[in-house]
Amino acid sequence: MNLTQTSVLARKAIIGGIAFLLIALVTKSFLIPAGRQAYKSLFPPKDPPNPIYGKLSAPKFEQKKVLNTDTVFELDTKTGKLPTGLPNKMAVYRIDPPAFSYEGGKKASDTAKALGFSDTDLVSDLKGDTYVWRNNTLGRELKIQINTKYLSLTTNVSDKSSVFSSGGSFSEADVKRVTNGFLNQTGRVLGNLYSAGTQKIMFGRFSGQRIIETDNPSGAQVAVIDYYRKIKDTPVYGPDLDKGLISIVVGNTDNANMKYVEAEIKNFEINGQSNATYPIVPVSQVWAAVQQNKGVMASVNPDEQSDFGTYSPVSIQKILITEVELAYYEELEPQKYLQPIYVFKGFYTSAGSKGSVAIYYPAISGDYIQEVDTPTE
């Protein structure tokens, strides 16, 4: 074969390669999507999604701070694979907006009195939406939003360890009995979704002026109970996976003013009946995004940090995901709709640190989520 023949063959090969690439590009960009659309038109799904609420607001997650951005993510489930059989659509539920109540102020005042606050402890303006009581002698503060019924109770216990017992009975049954008394006194009745949900109890004891976790209930001085809702067998989580949207700290004490140490109650009404369904992103696509560190760190529990309810940021080198589930996400502020998310649970390791983690990622296809406006300078 001479040089002329070789040159002709080379040109033919280049032209053929370009033609192949063009055909492949046209096929991928136009023919395959058109074919899929035609197939869907000829053979529509028997039970398609019903996104009657239109585009939803993007979930407002709260990220736990991590000191590095080069974390490696690996799958470590029982099967070594992502779960199968997950739904391709899920219901979206309405959340009833808070209703104005003419008796909201009176009910808030009655709640304050039931918790040991007097009229002279009121430090807020009665014309506002939020009432605040403060007892400086006991180091206690109570906030109640009269329309949303949001309640926050805090107590400075740094110098009050002697008030709480370090012995005697303080079982999970005792904790539930005391917290039920708190809910009854404050008029916070738990609905069916909380009855179907779970409760998590953690015991604590004083170490100097701080409280640390303990596995021994008999020696515990305080305990926190977190309440989680469940709707149609699917759990409902808040911004922090480790904290229920109803969270109450109770003390092991006979002192009536210190029996209820802390509380935070957010309890918007979820309408459990819904005809709205939205398509769910395949778990494989979400996992790929999580591996690129695009998920939201909703929980980080270092083994070496034993403070009761506090977190100090750590570095995370590797995360082993042991469980993947679909759940519903509820924000701290009023929202219109309760929508599903993916939750990745597992453990992390790092130099001198290890613990448990949980990662959130939106589950609804981005086609059904409103774009967030980016501020312009």
Side-chain angles (χ1 to χ4, degrees), residues 199-224:
Q199 298 89 45
K200 181 185 70 175
I201 296 177
M202 180 173 67
F203 292 94
R205 62 177 178 80
F206 280 86
S207 176
Q209 293 185 339
R210 62 191 182 103
I211 301 175
I212 62 174
E213 184 180 355
T214 178
D215 295 329
N216 182 14
S218 63
Q221 294 172 281
V222 297
V224 58

Side-chain angles (χ1 to χ4, degrees), residues 120-135:
T120 58
D121 293 330
L122 184 67
V123 295
S124 64
D125 188 344
L126 294 178
K127 296 180 181 180
D129 175 65
T130 303
Y131 287 12
V132 181
W133 291 264
R134 188 175 297 123
N135 186 313

Side-chain angles (χ1 to χ4, degrees), residues 253-274:
T253 178
D254 294 327
N255 187 321
N257 290 322
M258 290 296 162
K259 189 169 289 293
Y260 308 133
V261 180
E262 292 185 4
E264 188 169 19
I265 297 178
K266 175 196 171 290
N267 188 22
F268 295 123
E269 293 296 329
I270 299 173
N271 189 328
Q273 302 300 321
S274 176

Side-chain angles (χ1 to χ4, degrees), residues 171-192:
S171 64
E172 290 193 359
D174 296 322
V175 174
K176 290 181 179 181
R177 174 179 52 78
V178 176
T179 52
N180 284 338
F182 179 89
L183 294 170
N184 290 333
Q185 287 188 43
T186 59
R188 267 62 180 177
V189 179
L190 301 184
N192 293 331

Side-chain angles (χ1 to χ4, degrees), residues 5-80:
Q5 291 174 321
T6 303
S7 177
V8 171
L9 290 175
R11 285 198 299 270
K12 288 182 178 180
I14 293 172
I15 293 172
I18 294 173
F20 176 80
L21 291 175
L22 288 174
I23 292 172
L25 181 61
V26 170
T27 300
K28 181 179 179 180
S29 301
F30 300 102
L31 296 182
I32 291 178
R36 288 175 178 170
Q37 187 61 39
Y39 180 85
K40 290 180 180 179
S41 300
L42 292 172
F43 304 99
K46 294 182 180 180
D47 188 18
N50 186 29
I52 57 177
Y53 299 143
K55 287 195 173 184
L56 307 174
S57 298
K60 296 178 181 177
F61 296 122
E62 296 184 12
Q63 175 95 307
K64 290 279 189 181
K65 184 178 180 181
V66 177
L67 297 179
N68 63 306
T69 58
D70 57 348
T71 303
V72 176
F73 299 82
E74 294 183 3
L75 204 59
D76 193 32
T77 60
K78 291 182 179 179
T79 62

Side-chain angles (χ1 to χ4, degrees), residues 68 94 112 125 151-152 155 165 225 236 257 337 360 367 374:
N68 63 306
R94 281 186 179 275
D125 188 344
L151 182 150
S152 170
T155 305
S165 172
I225 179 169
V236 179
N257 290 322
Y337 305 108
Y360 289 168
D367 295 337
T374 303

Side-chain angles (χ1 to χ4, degrees), residues 337-360:
Y337 305 108
L338 187 76
Q339 58 180 284
I341 61 170
Y342 277 101
V343 181
F344 294 80
K345 300 177 182 178
F347 301 92
Y348 81 87
T349 57
S350 189
S353 177
K354 62 186 180 69
S356 62
V357 294
I359 300 166
Y360 289 168

